[in-house]
Amino acid sequence: MSALPNPVISWAVLVGVSHYTRLESLPAVANNLPELAAVLTSPLSWGLPADHCTVVAEPATAPAMLDAVQHAAELTEDTLLIYFAGHGLLDSRGDLFFGLPDAVSGRSHTGVTYQALREILTDSPAQRFVIVLDCCMSGRALGLMAGSDQLADQAEIEGSYLLAAAPDNGRALAPPGATYTAFTGELLRILRQGIPGQARDLDLDLVYRQLRTTLAAQSLPQPQKRVRNTAGRLILAHNQAYLPTPADTLADATGAEWPDPEQCHTPRAFLDALGEVRAVSGQTIKTVSQRVDPPMSPATISTLLNRTTLPRTWKTMALYLAACGLPSDRIEAWKVTWHNLRTTEQLAPASPPTGDTPIRSRGWRPRLPGRQRNRP
């Protein structure tokens, strides 16, 4: 089943370099960062607390970038997202490094190597990693995440999803005068507007497929991906263009097409689908309240449909669904989905992990004690 990260124990670090002294500057990168942060901290996506989304703009040195990554990596227990936009360059051995403002191609000490980033992530207690690279040569990182040789085996990151804007020898584009880079601009459009006729939620695999389709239609570089385990099922955003299709509905003998609870992978999707049940039934809230046995006030029905969290008990939902005319076998399927989502909520910590106050700057922070250092 697809999963939405728990924002209390998830983090994002967004790094961008737009001004270069020896290479072409990329003004659009400066616009990428605040817009992507706004999406990740909004209800459209993960709903991260503002201090769980660190923006590192124009880092002048490797520590200025990596200290923020390390701090977030030490605190994350669910999902950690790392984003870099800027020049991707190759060192003398052909390995990828991220260009800092004074970067020179072929000289990895003028940037941050992908290997340095990988070493930080493999020490993190996070369950999942999302790495988004909007830079030239970003596909080179794919070779560090899969393969049979010793280097590739050592570089793999468990539970990771790497999304690269360009092939291993390709250029990511920042069209002159464009507000955003080509790749991130399309990513932002998908997250904000959704994908019509698809699932209620957009997991990473679905977003990747849409990116390839839309960028290819514009004759732009094709993004690449590398996935470890089931990270592709991680939900990146709620689908703002969700429209029920025959695959998303189940018709009963009367011809009514009821929402399918098995398509509800988040509490929000489940609650939205509850409202759709009443719409499919063609009844008003007042009518539904009168059909409940015993009768229930319209205010109680309205409160149920406007909740932001799942009810702790099943009874009210069962009465509501029956009053809407849902067959008893369908009601049982809704109960199973509700129970699964409630179990997931109860397993998630209710408060942030203890430790230093989260940083939003690029200063050095000490490693927190008691963290697991090695992955099994």
Side-chain angles (χ1 to χ4, degrees), residues 17-367:
V17 180
S18 63
H19 300 292
Y20 287 87
T21 59
R22 305 184 187 186
L23 301 172
E24 178 186 4
S25 289
L26 306 169
V29 169
N31 298 323
N32 290 356
L33 299 179
E35 293 304 314
L36 188 55
V39 170
L40 291 172
T41 56
S42 78
L44 296 179
S45 182
W46 292 358
L48 291 174
D51 55 5
H52 283 217
C53 187
T54 304
V55 174
V56 183
E58 317 299 335
T61 65
M65 170 179 168
L66 294 179
D67 283 353
V69 174
Q70 175 131 12
H71 182 76
E74 290 173 340
L75 292 177
T76 302
E77 296 179 13
D78 189 325
T79 302
L80 174 61
L81 184 148
I82 304 296
Y83 168 91
F84 175 82
H87 279 298
L89 305 168
L90 301 181
D91 63 17
S92 58
R93 296 175 299 179
D95 293 333
L96 173 70
F97 71 95
F98 308 121
L100 298 178
D102 294 326
V104 177
S105 182
R107 302 179 184 178
S108 60
H109 65 277
T110 62
V112 174
T113 65
Y114 178 78
Q115 182 69 9
L117 174 64
R118 186 203 67 82
E119 289 174 358
I120 292 176
L121 301 188
T122 53
D123 270 349
S124 171
Q127 298 179 31
R128 294 167 298 198
F129 303 90
V130 180
I131 305 165
V132 182
L133 305 180
D134 188 357
C135 59
C136 299
M137 309 299 177
S138 55
R140 283 296 173 104
L142 301 179
L144 294 176
M145 296 186 67
S148 59
D149 59 36
Q150 184 178 6
L151 174 61
D153 290 341
Q154 292 175 351
E156 286 177 344
I157 304 173
E158 292 293 334
S160 62
Y161 196 103
L162 172 61
L163 185 57
D168 61 358
N169 59 350
R171 291 178 56 84
L173 295 181
T179 303
Y180 311 111
T181 59
F183 171 83
T184 298
E186 187 59 29
L187 175 62
L188 288 169
R189 188 194 66 78
I190 292 171
L191 299 183
R192 289 169 174 161
Q193 300 180 18
I195 304 174
Q198 297 290 332
R200 295 174 182 273
D201 299 298
L202 305 179
D203 64 26
L204 285 164
D205 280 339
L206 182 55
V207 170
Y208 168 74
R209 291 193 297 269
Q210 185 70 7
L211 281 168
R212 285 188 64 87
T213 298
T214 54
L215 291 173
Q218 301 172 60
S219 299
L220 293 171
Q222 293 291 281
Q224 310 293 314
K225 72 171 182 177
R226 182 74 74 221
V227 185
R228 291 284 294 168
N229 302 330
T230 60
R233 299 177 186 174
L234 181 71
I235 293 173
L236 191 55
H238 301 295
N239 190 0
Q240 299 306 301
Y242 166 69
L243 293 172
T245 67
D248 299 322
T249 56
L250 298 172
D252 63 16
T254 67
E257 293 185 339
W258 305 107
D260 182 359
E262 292 186 1
Q263 295 293 322
C264 302
H265 305 306
T266 65
R268 172 175 169 170
F270 183 90
L271 294 167
D272 287 346
L274 278 181
E276 291 176 17
V277 169
R278 185 198 61 78
V280 170
S281 75
Q283 302 178 65
T284 65
I285 289 179
K286 182 178 181 180
T287 301
V288 172
S289 71
Q290 293 171 345
R291 286 171 55 89
V292 174
D293 185 20
M296 187 181 295
S297 71
T300 300
I301 300 293
S302 181
T303 298
L304 172 65
L305 299 182
N306 287 284
R307 291 181 64 97
T308 58
T309 59
L310 291 175
R312 290 179 293 177
T313 60
W314 169 249
K315 182 178 179 180
T316 300
M317 284 179 290
L319 293 173
Y320 163 80
L321 291 170
C324 288
L326 202 68
S328 58
D329 59 331
R330 300 279 173 77
I331 293 177
E332 183 61 28
W334 282 81
K335 183 177 181 180
V336 170
T337 298
W338 166 79
H339 180 268
N340 291 339
L341 291 173
R342 278 285 296 161
T343 300
T344 301
E345 279 189 338
Q346 290 168 346
L347 291 175
S351 58
T354 58
D356 291 346
T357 301
I359 59 169
R360 300 182 67 181
S361 66
R362 299 188 286 260
W364 178 85
R365 293 280 176 160
R367 181 178 294 275

